[in-house]
Amino acid sequence: MALRKSSGSRKRGKPLRPRKKAPQAIVHDAPHAPELVIVTGMSGSGKASVLKAFEDLGYYCVDNLPVELIPRFAEMALRSSEIRRTALVVDVREGSKLEQLPGILKAVRRMIPTKVAFLEASDAVLLRRFSETRRPHPLGTDSPVNASLKTERRHLANIRALADIVIDTSKFNVHELRAHITERFREQASGKNILVSCVSFGYRHGVPEEADLVFDVRFLPNPHFVPEFRPLTGRHPRVAKYIRSFPQTQEFILRISDLLVYLLPHYIREGKSYLTISFGCTGGQHRSVMIAEEVGKRLHKAGYRVKVVHRDMPK
């Protein structure tokens, strides 16, 4: 069978014209620039949930990648036209090889823009999470979980020092943690990557342990002494109107909101991922509830993610 001549062969005597080249993609016009995020940190701190959040954002994700393969993984991300943004988890499951990570990280950062996100939580929270899931600590079952956590913190100390982002997940539930990662790593984020919790409480029940800022609103007139308001809460329109009717209430809300709008960018610049602002009155039913609601609305209007919690308000 005779071979067919290529249909692209030119006729004799006709000059060969150079074929126009297809325009090449420009890096800054690509949907995503190359990026590698290494997620590490304490066992039980939420790394699996964070990896799922990255996957939802379109990152190519790998859990528990051997540290020796990280340079090859980064090279693949650089060469691939389809895989640009990548995320992987590295933690104490690597054993003694984890000690190589700082050196590998130094080399990889010369190849591709790389961020290290370190997740941690308080020992009390981690112990509770291990108890709830009934899963053993990766360092083994020969020693109690609290002893394994101390050993793990020691092993991860050098890596934590190299982290670009440190996230304490103690105050996050799974959904809040994933929402935080989504906001922080979504393209063209607003820069207001902090979760603000406005918490009302009653001093008779104690000050919230997790509070970063505490404001005492017991100087405001107490609706408790108005019989018709006593069974209601600060969320009721009539109670809120009563508290708002005093000039000191209006001035306090305005001044505190302005102060917080000023402070929050500075907290963000220092790497803080959440802030708990607590407002306390005597019983945590009227004044603190109304103030937490009002301040929360103003911060939400300013563009921040806000969660309002009424710790001691009657259900």
Side-chain angles (χ1 to χ4, degrees):
M1 181 181 292
L3 295 173
R4 288 185 181 181
K5 290 184 179 180
S6 170
S7 59
S9 59
R10 65 185 179 92
K11 294 180 180 179
R12 186 172 296 179
K14 191 172 183 178
L16 180 65
R17 294 180 181 177
R19 182 178 295 175
K20 290 183 179 180
K21 292 183 179 180
Q24 295 182 351
I26 302 172
V27 172
H28 63 260
D29 286 337
H32 301 296
E35 180 188 5
L36 171 63
V37 179
I38 297 177
V39 180
T40 186
M42 296 294 294
S43 301
S45 60
K47 297 187 295 294
S49 296
V50 166
L51 200 64
K52 287 179 182 177
F54 278 115
E55 194 170 23
D56 291 342
L57 287 170
Y59 284 71
Y60 183 90
C61 298
V62 178
D63 185 19
N64 200 23
L65 183 75
V67 291
E68 314 98 272
L69 297 181
I70 293 178
R72 293 178 60 184
F73 185 78
E75 188 178 353
M76 175 200 71
L78 279 173
R79 292 184 177 182
S80 174
S81 59
E82 297 179 358
I83 301 173
R84 304 297 286 170
R85 298 199 297 169
T86 55
L88 56 90
V89 169
V90 178
D91 53 32
V92 291
R93 290 173 292 177
E94 275 291 283
S96 60
K97 292 183 180 178
L98 191 63
E99 297 175 2
Q100 303 175 28
L101 184 59
I104 290 173
L105 181 60
K106 186 176 181 180
V108 167
R109 277 179 162 156
R110 290 196 290 264
M111 298 169 54
I112 186 173
T114 303
K115 290 181 180 178
V116 177
F118 189 96
L119 274 61
E120 61 183 10
S122 67
D123 283 351
V125 170
L126 293 175
L127 283 168
R128 189 190 74 232
R129 290 175 182 172
F130 274 104
S131 176
E132 289 172 351
T133 59
R134 299 183 180 180
R135 296 187 62 186
H137 191 279
L139 290 181
T141 56
D142 295 337
S143 51
V145 174
N146 58 350
S148 296
L149 290 174
K150 287 184 174 63
T151 303
E152 185 178 18
R153 285 194 193 279
R154 219 167 35 245
H155 286 327
L156 294 175
N158 291 336
I159 296 172
R160 188 188 187 281
L162 298 172
D164 301 284
I165 304 163
V166 176
I167 303 174
D168 187 333
T169 68
S170 301
K171 302 175 186 178
F172 287 120
N173 61 35
V174 172
H175 305 292
E176 290 166 349
L177 177 58
R178 292 181 67 171
H180 176 72
I181 293 297
T182 300
E183 285 295 322
R184 186 145 198 164
F185 286 88
R186 183 163 46 197
E187 290 294 297
Q188 300 177 347
S190 66
K192 297 181 177 180
N193 300 314
I194 190 170
L195 175 64
V196 182
S197 293
C198 292
V199 179
S200 71
F201 72 95
Y203 275 96
R204 68 170 59 151
H205 306 294
V207 177
E209 293 182 2
E210 69 275 14
D212 296 303
L213 300 173
V214 178
F215 296 98
D216 187 342
V217 298
R218 288 177 292 183
F219 68 93
L220 298 174
N222 193 349
H224 175 79
F225 297 111
V226 180
E228 62 179 299
F229 295 154
R230 189 169 297 175
L232 305 177
T233 73
R235 298 186 68 182
H236 194 282
R238 285 193 293 137
V239 177
K241 183 179 180 181
Y242 172 80
I243 301 171
R244 199 182 294 110
S245 67
F246 298 95
Q248 60 265 42
T249 304
Q250 297 281 3
E251 187 171 358
F252 177 79
I253 292 172
L254 180 62
R255 287 175 178 264
I256 290 299
S257 299
D258 287 345
L259 173 64
L260 293 171
V261 169
Y262 165 75
L263 288 174
L264 285 170
H266 296 282
Y267 283 121
I268 294 170
R269 198 172 298 119
E270 289 301 313
K272 198 166 184 63
S273 55
Y274 57 85
L275 187 73
T276 301
I277 309 162
S278 296
F279 300 94
C281 63
T282 305
Q285 179 175 341
H286 296 112
R287 294 166 291 179
S288 61
V289 170
M290 181 269 181
I291 295 296
E293 291 279 345
E294 288 294 318
V295 173
K297 288 176 185 176
R298 288 173 179 255
L299 294 179
H300 178 73
K301 189 175 180 180
Y304 292 97
R305 292 185 298 122
V306 179
K307 177 176 70 171
V308 179
V309 178
H310 302 302
R311 191 192 71 177
D312 301 322
M313 185 182 75
K315 299 295 187 286

